[in-house]
Short mmCIF file of all heavy atoms in Angstrom, two decimals:
data_model
loop_
_atom_site.label_atom_id
_atom_site.label_comp_id
_atom_site.label_asym_id
_atom_site.label_seq_id
_atom_site.Cartn_x
_atom_site.Cartn_y
_atom_site.Cartn_z
N GLN H 120 20.63 -29.51 -4.50
CA GLN H 120 19.94 -28.84 -5.57
C GLN H 120 18.44 -29.14 -5.45
O GLN H 120 18.04 -30.22 -5.00
CB GLN H 120 20.43 -29.31 -6.95
CG GLN H 120 21.84 -28.88 -7.23
CD GLN H 120 21.99 -27.40 -7.49
OE1 GLN H 120 21.03 -26.68 -7.56
NE2 GLN H 120 23.24 -26.95 -7.58
N VAL H 121 17.64 -28.20 -5.86
CA VAL H 121 16.20 -28.38 -5.89
C VAL H 121 15.72 -28.32 -7.34
O VAL H 121 16.18 -27.49 -8.13
CB VAL H 121 15.49 -27.24 -5.10
CG1 VAL H 121 14.01 -27.29 -5.28
CG2 VAL H 121 15.91 -27.33 -3.62
N GLN H 122 14.84 -29.22 -7.64
CA GLN H 122 14.25 -29.24 -9.01
C GLN H 122 12.75 -29.28 -8.89
O GLN H 122 12.19 -29.88 -8.01
CB GLN H 122 14.76 -30.46 -9.82
CG GLN H 122 16.21 -30.40 -10.18
CD GLN H 122 16.60 -31.57 -11.09
OE1 GLN H 122 16.23 -32.68 -10.84
NE2 GLN H 122 17.40 -31.26 -12.12
N LEU H 123 12.11 -28.64 -9.88
CA LEU H 123 10.66 -28.71 -9.98
C LEU H 123 10.39 -29.43 -11.32
O LEU H 123 10.79 -29.00 -12.39
CB LEU H 123 10.03 -27.29 -10.05
CG LEU H 123 10.25 -26.41 -8.85
CD1 LEU H 123 9.51 -25.10 -9.03
CD2 LEU H 123 9.83 -27.10 -7.56
N ALA H 142 6.20 -31.40 -9.06
CA ALA H 142 6.73 -31.92 -7.82
C ALA H 142 8.13 -31.35 -7.56
O ALA H 142 8.98 -31.33 -8.47
CB ALA H 142 6.80 -33.45 -7.87
N ALA H 143 8.36 -30.94 -6.32
CA ALA H 143 9.66 -30.42 -5.92
C ALA H 143 10.48 -31.55 -5.31
O ALA H 143 9.95 -32.35 -4.57
CB ALA H 143 9.50 -29.28 -4.93
N SER H 144 11.75 -31.59 -5.70
CA SER H 144 12.63 -32.59 -5.17
C SER H 144 13.98 -31.98 -4.80
O SER H 144 14.35 -30.92 -5.31
CB SER H 144 12.84 -33.74 -6.14
OG SER H 144 13.49 -33.23 -7.35
N GLY H 145 14.69 -32.65 -3.89
CA GLY H 145 15.97 -32.16 -3.45
C GLY H 145 15.98 -31.95 -1.95
O GLY H 145 15.11 -32.38 -1.23
N VAL H 146 16.99 -31.22 -1.49
CA VAL H 146 17.13 -30.96 -0.04
C VAL H 146 16.20 -29.76 0.25
O VAL H 146 16.52 -28.61 -0.06
CB VAL H 146 18.58 -30.64 0.30
CG1 VAL H 146 18.70 -30.33 1.79
CG2 VAL H 146 19.51 -31.78 -0.10
N ILE H 147 15.10 -30.06 0.92
CA ILE H 147 14.07 -29.04 1.17
C ILE H 147 13.62 -29.14 2.63
O ILE H 147 13.25 -30.22 3.07
CB ILE H 147 12.83 -29.28 0.24
CG1 ILE H 147 13.28 -29.15 -1.27
CG2 ILE H 147 11.72 -28.33 0.56
CD1 ILE H 147 12.19 -29.55 -2.22
N SER H 148 13.62 -28.04 3.30
CA SER H 148 13.07 -28.03 4.66
C SER H 148 11.55 -27.91 4.60
O SER H 148 10.83 -28.61 5.31
CB SER H 148 13.65 -26.85 5.47
OG SER H 148 15.07 -26.98 5.58
N SER H 149 11.08 -26.99 3.84
CA SER H 149 9.63 -26.80 3.67
C SER H 149 9.39 -25.98 2.37
O SER H 149 10.36 -25.44 1.80
CB SER H 149 9.03 -26.07 4.86
OG SER H 149 9.60 -24.77 5.03
N VAL H 150 8.16 -25.91 1.99
CA VAL H 150 7.78 -25.18 0.79
C VAL H 150 6.68 -24.18 1.19
O VAL H 150 5.67 -24.59 1.75
CB VAL H 150 7.29 -26.10 -0.34
CG1 VAL H 150 6.99 -25.25 -1.57
CG2 VAL H 150 8.33 -27.16 -0.65
N ASN H 151 6.90 -22.90 0.88
CA ASN H 151 5.89 -21.92 1.21
C ASN H 151 4.92 -21.79 0.00
O ASN H 151 4.34 -22.77 -0.41
CB ASN H 151 6.56 -20.59 1.58
CG ASN H 151 7.27 -20.68 2.91
OD1 ASN H 151 6.88 -21.49 3.77
ND2 ASN H 151 8.31 -19.91 3.08
N MET H 153 3.34 -21.88 -3.60
CA MET H 153 3.57 -22.57 -4.87
C MET H 153 2.57 -21.98 -5.87
O MET H 153 1.55 -21.39 -5.48
CB MET H 153 3.38 -24.08 -4.76
CG MET H 153 4.26 -24.76 -3.75
SD MET H 153 4.11 -26.53 -3.69
CE MET H 153 5.15 -26.99 -5.10
N ARG H 190 -2.65 -28.42 -3.77
CA ARG H 190 -1.30 -28.88 -3.46
C ARG H 190 -1.37 -30.05 -2.48
O ARG H 190 -2.36 -30.21 -1.74
CB ARG H 190 -0.45 -27.75 -2.91
CG ARG H 190 -0.90 -27.19 -1.59
CD ARG H 190 -0.08 -25.96 -1.22
NE ARG H 190 1.26 -26.30 -0.77
CZ ARG H 190 2.19 -25.41 -0.52
NH1 ARG H 190 1.98 -24.11 -0.79
NH2 ARG H 190 3.43 -25.77 -0.07
N ASN H 192 1.14 -31.16 0.42
CA ASN H 192 2.34 -30.74 1.12
C ASN H 192 3.27 -31.94 1.39
O ASN H 192 4.49 -31.78 1.31
CB ASN H 192 1.98 -30.07 2.42
CG ASN H 192 1.41 -28.67 2.20
OD1 ASN H 192 1.65 -28.02 1.18
ND2 ASN H 192 0.59 -28.22 3.15
N LYS H 194 3.78 -34.42 -0.45
CA LYS H 194 4.46 -34.75 -1.73
C LYS H 194 5.20 -33.56 -2.29
O LYS H 194 5.82 -33.67 -3.35
CB LYS H 194 3.47 -35.31 -2.72
CG LYS H 194 2.82 -36.61 -2.33
CD LYS H 194 1.86 -37.13 -3.39
CE LYS H 194 1.27 -38.44 -3.01
NZ LYS H 194 0.33 -38.97 -4.06
N LYS H 195 5.13 -32.40 -1.64
CA LYS H 195 5.75 -31.19 -2.14
C LYS H 195 5.32 -30.95 -3.58
O LYS H 195 6.17 -30.61 -4.45
CB LYS H 195 7.27 -31.25 -2.01
CG LYS H 195 7.77 -31.42 -0.57
CD LYS H 195 9.27 -31.44 -0.51
CE LYS H 195 9.80 -31.63 0.91
NZ LYS H 195 9.44 -32.97 1.48
N SER H 196 4.05 -31.07 -3.81
CA SER H 196 3.52 -31.01 -5.18
C SER H 196 2.39 -29.99 -5.29
O SER H 196 1.70 -29.72 -4.30
CB SER H 196 2.99 -32.37 -5.63
OG SER H 196 4.05 -33.31 -5.72
N ALA H 216 7.86 -22.29 -7.00
CA ALA H 216 7.83 -22.68 -5.58
C ALA H 216 8.80 -21.87 -4.78
O ALA H 216 9.92 -21.60 -5.23
CB ALA H 216 8.14 -24.17 -5.46
N GLU H 217 8.38 -21.48 -3.58
CA GLU H 217 9.27 -20.80 -2.64
C GLU H 217 9.72 -21.83 -1.64
O GLU H 217 8.98 -22.29 -0.79
CB GLU H 217 8.51 -19.68 -1.95
CG GLU H 217 8.10 -18.58 -2.92
CD GLU H 217 7.21 -17.51 -2.29
OE1 GLU H 217 6.74 -17.72 -1.16
OE2 GLU H 217 6.98 -16.48 -2.97
N VAL H 218 10.96 -22.26 -1.79
CA VAL H 218 11.53 -23.37 -1.04
C VAL H 218 12.41 -22.86 0.07
O VAL H 218 13.27 -21.99 -0.15
CB VAL H 218 12.32 -24.34 -1.99
CG1 VAL H 218 13.05 -25.42 -1.18
CG2 VAL H 218 11.40 -24.94 -3.03
N VAL H 219 12.22 -23.46 1.24
CA VAL H 219 13.08 -23.10 2.41
C VAL H 219 14.18 -24.14 2.55
O VAL H 219 13.88 -25.34 2.66
CB VAL H 219 12.24 -23.00 3.70
CG1 VAL H 219 13.16 -22.73 4.91
CG2 VAL H 219 11.18 -21.95 3.56
N ARG H 220 15.41 -23.68 2.52
CA ARG H 220 16.59 -24.51 2.70
C ARG H 220 17.52 -23.78 3.61
O ARG H 220 17.82 -22.61 3.42
CB ARG H 220 17.30 -24.80 1.35
CG ARG H 220 16.49 -25.49 0.30
CD ARG H 220 17.26 -25.54 -1.00
NE ARG H 220 18.57 -26.14 -0.83
CZ ARG H 220 19.62 -25.97 -1.65
NH1 ARG H 220 19.46 -25.17 -2.69
NH2 ARG H 220 20.76 -26.56 -1.43
N ASP H 221 18.04 -24.50 4.61
CA ASP H 221 19.01 -23.88 5.54
C ASP H 221 18.50 -22.54 6.09
O ASP H 221 19.26 -21.59 6.19
CB ASP H 221 20.35 -23.64 4.80
CG ASP H 221 20.98 -24.92 4.32
OD1 ASP H 221 20.80 -25.95 5.02
OD2 ASP H 221 21.56 -24.92 3.23
N ARG H 222 17.21 -22.48 6.37
CA ARG H 222 16.55 -21.33 6.98
C ARG H 222 16.40 -20.14 6.02
O ARG H 222 15.96 -19.07 6.46
CB ARG H 222 17.25 -20.89 8.26
CG ARG H 222 17.21 -21.91 9.38
CD ARG H 222 18.05 -21.45 10.57
NE ARG H 222 19.45 -21.40 10.23
CZ ARG H 222 20.36 -20.86 11.05
NH1 ARG H 222 20.03 -20.36 12.20
NH2 ARG H 222 21.62 -20.85 10.68
N PHE H 223 16.77 -20.32 4.77
CA PHE H 223 16.57 -19.25 3.80
C PHE H 223 15.55 -19.68 2.74
O PHE H 223 15.43 -20.87 2.46
CB PHE H 223 17.90 -18.86 3.13
CG PHE H 223 18.90 -18.21 4.02
CD1 PHE H 223 19.91 -18.94 4.65
CD2 PHE H 223 18.79 -16.86 4.30
CE1 PHE H 223 20.80 -18.34 5.52
CE2 PHE H 223 19.71 -16.24 5.15
CZ PHE H 223 20.69 -16.98 5.77
N TYR H 225 14.19 -19.59 -1.11
CA TYR H 225 14.64 -19.41 -2.48
C TYR H 225 13.46 -19.61 -3.41
O TYR H 225 12.59 -20.45 -3.13
CB TYR H 225 15.74 -20.41 -2.83
CG TYR H 225 16.96 -20.30 -1.91
CD1 TYR H 225 17.04 -21.05 -0.73
CD2 TYR H 225 18.02 -19.47 -2.22
CE1 TYR H 225 18.15 -20.97 0.09
CE2 TYR H 225 19.14 -19.40 -1.41
CZ TYR H 225 19.19 -20.15 -0.24
OH TYR H 225 20.29 -20.07 0.57
N TYR H 227 12.17 -21.04 -7.00
CA TYR H 227 12.54 -21.98 -8.03
C TYR H 227 11.44 -22.01 -9.10
O TYR H 227 10.23 -21.82 -8.81
CB TYR H 227 12.76 -23.38 -7.49
CG TYR H 227 14.02 -23.48 -6.65
CD1 TYR H 227 13.92 -23.30 -5.26
CD2 TYR H 227 15.22 -23.79 -7.23
CE1 TYR H 227 15.07 -23.38 -4.48
CE2 TYR H 227 16.35 -23.89 -6.44
CZ TYR H 227 16.30 -23.69 -5.09
OH TYR H 227 17.41 -23.77 -4.35
#
Side-chain angles (χ1 to χ4, degrees):
Q120 294 288 354
V121 172
Q122 289 186 318
L123 300 183
S144 63
V146 179
I147 299 171
S148 297
S149 61
V150 183
N151 291 332
M153 302 184 81
R190 64 188 287 171
N192 289 335
K194 295 182 179 180
K195 300 182 180 65
S196 295
E217 295 174 350
V218 174
V219 177
R220 299 174 55 202
D221 300 325
R222 295 175 294 172
F223 291 98
Y225 302 89
Y227 289 93

